[in-house]
Amino acid sequence: MSPAKSRNRRGLAWVLLVIWTVATVVALTVPLDNAPKVMGKGFDKVVHTGMFTVMGMLAQAAAPWYSLLFALPIGVGLEYLQKRLPHRDFDQVEVAANIIGVLLGIACFETATRLRRR
């Protein structure tokens, strides 16, 4: 891949990462008073893992291996922020789901990149 094409892809990854991060922050901080229950107990952990898997993949695409410095503090920090919000709850299992999601996203991105090179 040419250097210019690589820069364009990385630039697009940054844009998508910023959009996804803003959407994640909003989703995890707005009140959920009237939110319908979509699935049973524990489904929110799956949602957290999925959200942070996408963030981990985008972060790895935008800034390889600096992605941990970006995504992990957001994943942990947002959950601790929820502790201070009257309309949200802190959950240590969700902290773990966020961390697992970031690591899974990085692993998925790296695996896909290496398979594509073959």
Side-chain angles (χ1 to χ4, degrees), residues 21 24-26 28-29 48 52 55 68-85 88-92 94-99 102:
T21 301
T24 300
V25 169
V26 169
L28 295 180
T29 57
H48 276 254
F52 283 93
M55 185 180 292
L68 290 171
L69 297 175
F70 177 84
L72 282 179
I74 290 173
V76 174
L78 275 174
E79 201 58 39
Y80 279 95
L81 174 63
Q82 287 182 1
K83 193 181 219 182
R84 298 199 173 268
L85 298 175
R88 299 302 294 240
D89 294 323
F90 171 80
D91 187 346
Q92 289 179 341
E94 288 178 0
V95 173
N98 296 353
I99 292 169
V102 169

Side-chain angles (χ1 to χ4, degrees), residues 7 13 26 33 44 48 50-51 54 60 65 69 80 82 85 99 102 104 108 110:
R7 275 193 306 275
V26 169
D33 296 335
D44 57 331
H48 276 254
M51 288 169 43
V54 173
Q60 188 67 8
W65 303 113
L69 297 175
Y80 279 95
Q82 287 182 1
L85 298 175
I99 292 169
V102 169
L104 184 61
C108 288
E110 285 302 311

Side-chain angles (χ1 to χ4, degrees), residues 10 14 57-68 106 109-110:
R10 200 161 278 163
W14 271 110
M57 290 181 349
L58 290 171
Q60 188 67 8
W65 303 113
Y66 291 106
S67 55
L68 290 171
I106 292 169
F109 180 84
E110 285 302 311

Side-chain angles (χ1 to χ4, degrees), residues 1-11:
M1 181 183 319
S2 70
K5 197 171 189 178
S6 179
R7 275 193 306 275
N8 288 342
R9 283 189 179 182
R10 200 161 278 163

